[in-house]
Amino acid sequence: MWIKDLHDTEYGPEGKMRWELFDEEISVSLDENVDISYAEKCAEALNSLPEETVRDIWEAAKRYCLYFIDLCGDEWDEYNEMTIKVTEETPAEEIKSQIYPSFLIVDEPEDERIGLHLECNCSWEAEHGLEITILDNKLVYLGAFEGHGAWGKFDPDDEWNFVNGVKE
C-alpha cells in the first residue's frame, strides 16, 4: 500500500504517502467519491513517472520561475526567497530544490485515465504556489495553484500554463 494513515476528515478522506522523486512525505486528499483502489493507483503512478514527464516538470517549473522573476522586475530582490540563482542557463533539474510538495489531491476520475493533481509550494512564488497536473503520465498543467483539478480544461494558448512551450 502506498497510502497510509487514511482517515476521515471534514473535507473527506486524507492520508500520507512518500513521493520518492522528492524523498518527501506528502498528504493525500481524496474526493468523497474516490475509491481507495483508484487512489492507490494514483500514488503508484506518482512514484513511477517516466523520465520524460519528470524532465517536463523541471522545464515548465523553470519557465514559471523565470516568468515570475521577470514579472517582479526591480522588486524581485525584495521578494526573493530562493536558495539558488535561476537564469536561462540554469539546468532545469536544479529547480527541484525550490519546490516543496505538500498534497496529492485525488479527484474523482472521469474515465479510465490516471489523473494526478498536486499542490506544492515554491520559493519563487509564495502567494500562489505551484500546481502540477498529470494525465496518464503526461504533464498537462504547471503554474500557479488555481485548483483546476486533474480533469480541467487545459488551453494550449494559456500563457499561465507553463507546460505550453516546453516541447517547442
Side-chain angles (χ1 to χ4, degrees):
M1 282 188 62
W2 291 95
I3 302 171
K4 59 186 179 192
D5 302 328
L6 193 64
H7 61 281
D8 288 324
T9 72
E10 64 181 290
Y11 305 106
E14 288 189 9
K16 299 277 186 192
M17 69 166 286
R18 183 159 239 27
W19 188 1
E20 294 171 2
L21 180 64
F22 285 90
D23 193 26
E24 292 281 335
E25 185 171 80
I26 63 172
S27 296
V28 180
S29 176
L30 284 64
D31 276 357
E32 286 182 20
N33 297 322
V34 170
D35 182 86
I36 187 62
S37 64
Y38 175 74
E40 284 288 335
K41 288 178 186 177
C42 290
E44 181 177 13
L46 183 60
N47 279 315
S48 305
L49 293 173
E51 285 183 35
E52 180 179 0
T53 305
V54 172
R55 278 193 308 272
D56 289 348
I57 291 170
W58 304 148
E59 289 292 336
K62 179 182 168 183
R63 291 182 77 235
Y64 177 27
C65 178
L66 289 170
Y67 179 87
F68 190 76
I69 291 169
D70 186 55
L71 187 66
C72 289
D74 294 338
E75 296 177 0
W76 172 244
D77 289 337
E78 182 180 331
Y79 297 110
N80 184 3
E81 296 182 14
M82 298 186 70
T83 58
I84 63 171
K85 182 177 175 83
V86 177
T87 67
E88 289 288 344
E89 291 74 37
T90 303
E93 62 272 6
E94 288 186 20
I95 202 76
K96 175 184 177 183
S97 68
Q98 305 304 299
I99 298 172
Y100 313 99
S102 54
F103 270 95
L104 168 62
I105 303 164
V106 184
D107 301 310
E108 183 176 357
E110 291 185 359
D111 54 40
E112 297 300 313
R113 296 178 294 170
I114 299 293
L116 304 176
H117 179 204
L118 296 144
E119 179 180 350
C120 304
N121 294 307
C122 59
S123 57
W124 64 88
E125 219 305 24
E127 184 177 348
H128 298 105
L130 176 68
E131 182 173 14
I132 301 170
T133 305
I134 300 165
L135 278 176
D136 273 348
N137 289 324
K138 181 179 187 247
L139 182 65
V140 294
Y141 179 83
L142 187 144
F145 192 88
E146 299 288 336
H148 292 299
W151 311 103
K153 303 293 181 229
F154 303 103
D155 185 349
D157 296 322
D158 180 0
E159 69 178 320
W160 296 100
N161 184 352
F162 294 93
V163 172
N164 297 334
V166 165
K167 298 284 188 179
E168 293 174 358

